């Protein structure tokens, strides 16, 4: 009878990795917190942020001062009253409207002067619009909506054949890829990046750090398995869990918020897989360096969530930032995935945008995994 010889080579390594993945998979199934982080939290965050975060301004309370009761003045007022963007109320005097503005009962005043109809015939009619400026962004958007309401009234008057004094050159504008200027269209893809950054990094950072705290991670290293095999075995189940969360997020973007997917779905999945590897790699590296769940969670939020929100181009245009900050944004992976995801959702398969960003993400994924393996070896040593 001969003793069994230990398995060596690639086949033995593959069997060890499969065994580790199977063992970690069962652990994920038995751990409700991992399911909550990977599947429930993405949908919860998407719904909360998606419905709570919007740059659209609707139902702006506005006071219309009717100093002229002509048909033309009533036509202008009706444009504001019929608009979905305004909640208009008519007042008789400017003093009353100003009092409402000071008390913040209205955010804007539209004043139609007493000689409006007569001056319109002369081509010199004016409408005064005052906007509360404490919120500059809302004020700017409200002013644009007011100009749009007046333009709608002028177009209606022109269609009826009345004499309207207008500019000598008309401008026809159109928003490409987002005709309705719906902020959800570009916010929701950015939210998916935000959610997947946090979830992907937290999944591995917390779970692996917990293994370090319990001492079960070191126990694995007395076996023939190598650090890279252990990290791979740890990563694969959470990668699958993260992809389930990502699929639910994409489904929610489509069904809940009506965001179109104009690019290839397969390309969207491939790019998302690449980014999830980057996020998991960040979590592995943080957990290997900290070995503490509390510290790992704090560093993960600071290193992933905040930069993904502030410096990825998701909420603020990177080109408007100071030059030094623009340079710093290049080290955050979320910047590249935001560009890829917004392009695939709204514009389509624009390869000059997708390929360079995907290449950077691939390099980042390789570097992060290599650093995580190196940090794990060093920790053991």
């Amino acid at each position: 009878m001969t003793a069994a010889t230990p398995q060596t080579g690639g086949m033995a390594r593959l069997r060890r990795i499969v065994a580790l993945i199977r063992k970690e998979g069962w652990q994920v199934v038995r751990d409700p917190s991992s399911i909550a982080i990977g599947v429930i939290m993405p949908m919860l965050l998407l719904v909360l942020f998606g419905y709570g975060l919007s740059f659209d301004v609707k139902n702006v309370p506005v006071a219309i001062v009717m100093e002229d009761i002509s048909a033309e003045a009533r036509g202008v007022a009706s444009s504001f009253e019929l608009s979905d963007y305004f909640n208009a109320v008519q007042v008789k005097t400017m003093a009353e409207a100003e009092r409402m503005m000071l008390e913040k009962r209205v955010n804007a005043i539209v004043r139609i002067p007493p000689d409006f109809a007569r001056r319109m015939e002369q081509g010199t009619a004016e409408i005064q619009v005052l906007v509360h400026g404490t919120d500059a962004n809302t004020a700017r958007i409200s002013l644009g909506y007011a100009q749009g309401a007046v333009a709608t009234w002028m177009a209606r008057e022109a269609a009826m054949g009345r004499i309207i004094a207008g500019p000598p050159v008309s401008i026809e504008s159109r928003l490409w890829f987002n005709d309705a200027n719906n902020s959800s269209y570009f916010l929701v893809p950015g939210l998916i990046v935000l959610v997947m950054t946090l979830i992907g990094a937290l999944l591995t950072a917390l779970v692996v750090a917990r293994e370090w705290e319990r001492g079960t991670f070191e126990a694995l290293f007395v076996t023939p398995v190598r650090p890279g095999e252990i990290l791979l075995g740890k990563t694969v189940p959470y990668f699958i869990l993260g992809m389930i969360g990502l699929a639910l997020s994409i489904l929610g973007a489509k069904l809940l918020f009506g965001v179109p997917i104009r690019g290839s779905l397969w390309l969207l999945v491939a790019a998302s897989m690449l980014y999830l590897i980057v996020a998991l790699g960040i979590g592995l590296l943080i957990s290997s360096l900290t070995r503490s769940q509390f510290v790992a969670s704090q560093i993960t939020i600071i290193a992933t969530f905040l930069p993904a929100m502030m410096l990825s181009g998701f909420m603020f245009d990177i080109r408007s930032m100071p030059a030094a900050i623009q340079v710093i944004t290049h080290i955050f992976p979320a910047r590249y995935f935001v560009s890829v995801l917004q392009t695939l959702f709204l514009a389509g398969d624009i390869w000059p945008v997708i390929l360079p960003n995907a290449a950077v993400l691939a390099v980042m994924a390789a570097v992060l995994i290599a650093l995580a393996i190196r940090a794990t070896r060093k920790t053991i040593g």
Side-chain angles (χ1 to χ4, degrees):
M1 184 175 180
T2 58
T5 57
Q7 294 177 323
T8 59
M11 185 57 69
R13 181 179 301 177
L14 180 61
R15 289 181 178 177
R16 288 197 298 268
I17 293 173
V18 171
L20 285 169
I21 293 173
R22 188 181 301 165
K23 170 254 178 190
E24 196 64 34
W26 279 114
Q27 190 166 329
V28 169
V29 172
R30 290 195 297 265
D31 184 6
S33 63
S34 297
I35 303 293
I37 293 175
V39 177
I40 299 176
M41 191 177 288
M43 282 302 296
L44 187 63
L45 291 176
L46 185 69
V47 170
L48 285 176
F49 282 124
Y51 283 111
L53 186 63
S54 174
F55 292 150
D56 297 332
V57 178
K58 289 188 176 181
N59 297 319
V60 178
V62 55
I64 301 178
V65 182
M66 295 291 292
E67 296 178 348
D68 187 358
I69 58 173
S70 64
E72 292 81 358
R74 290 197 299 273
V76 176
S78 67
S79 289
F80 285 89
E81 292 167 347
L82 297 176
S83 172
D84 293 333
Y85 300 111
F86 295 106
N87 186 11
V89 56
Q90 292 189 15
V91 297
K92 295 180 179 178
T93 64
M94 193 65 186
E96 183 180 358
E98 290 175 351
R99 186 168 59 253
M100 295 173 71
M101 177 87 95
L102 291 174
E103 295 172 355
K104 295 216 69 172
R105 286 189 284 155
V106 296
N107 286 355
I109 297 173
V110 177
R111 176 175 174 265
I112 303 175
D115 56 349
F116 177 74
R118 180 176 59 81
R119 295 180 67 106
M120 199 180 81
E121 293 178 355
Q122 300 171 355
T124 58
E126 292 181 347
I127 299 172
Q128 187 177 19
V129 179
L130 305 173
V131 181
H132 206 295
T134 52
D135 184 342
N137 184 56
T138 301
R140 186 169 55 253
I141 295 174
S142 299
L143 191 58
Y145 288 162
Q147 292 170 343
V150 174
T152 300
W153 168 75
M154 291 181 66
R156 191 169 61 238
E157 293 291 301
M160 294 173 66
R162 301 184 182 181
I163 299 174
I164 299 294
V169 178
S170 62
I171 299 175
E172 183 180 353
S173 60
R174 181 185 173 190
L175 289 174
W176 278 15
F177 311 125
N178 189 0
D179 291 340
N181 195 20
N182 189 340
S183 64
S184 296
Y185 279 19
F186 69 89
L187 281 178
V188 170
L191 286 174
I192 293 177
V193 176
L194 196 68
V195 170
M196 296 316 301
T197 303
L198 183 62
I199 301 306
L202 269 181
L203 275 175
T204 46
L206 290 181
V207 174
V208 175
R210 184 169 56 203
E211 299 266 9
W212 284 114
E213 288 182 345
R214 292 174 178 173
T216 53
F217 216 55
E218 287 91 337
L220 282 174
F221 289 106
V222 301
T223 65
V225 294
R226 301 175 180 177
E229 296 171 4
I230 293 175
L231 292 183
L232 183 60
K234 287 283 181 189
T235 303
V236 171
Y238 297 105
F239 175 80
I240 296 172
L241 198 61
M243 287 305 295
I244 294 174
L246 177 69
L248 291 174
S249 298
I250 293 174
L251 202 61
K254 183 71 177 173
L255 299 181
L256 296 178
F257 302 101
V259 182
I261 304 176
R262 298 194 174 106
S264 165
L265 185 61
W266 293 110
L267 192 57
L268 177 63
V269 172
S272 302
M273 292 170 68
L274 188 59
Y275 184 71
L276 191 55
I277 293 174
V278 173
L280 292 172
I282 294 173
L284 285 175
L285 181 60
I286 292 173
S287 61
S288 298
L289 294 173
T290 60
R291 303 174 65 177
S292 163
Q293 288 188 78
F294 175 76
V295 178
S297 63
Q298 300 302 306
I299 293 179
T300 300
I301 291 174
I302 294 172
T304 60
F305 184 77
L306 294 179
M309 175 174 281
M310 308 296 291
L311 302 175
S312 66
F314 154 54
M315 293 189 70
F316 307 107
D317 190 353
I318 294 176
R319 292 166 297 187
S320 302
M321 299 176 184
I325 302 298
Q326 289 187 38
V327 172
I328 293 174
T329 61
H330 285 87
I331 67 175
F332 296 110
R335 169 191 170 131
Y336 307 99
F337 193 45
V338 164
S339 180
V340 169
L341 218 53
Q342 287 181 340
T343 301
L344 286 173
F345 264 102
L346 301 181
D349 299 339
I350 311 297
W351 294 105
V353 176
I354 296 169
L355 284 180
N357 289 291
V360 175
L361 287 176
V363 172
M364 286 185 167
V367 170
L368 285 167
I369 295 297
L371 288 175
I373 294 174
R374 183 180 177 85
T376 304
R377 285 176 178 156
K378 187 175 179 180
T379 302
I380 297 168

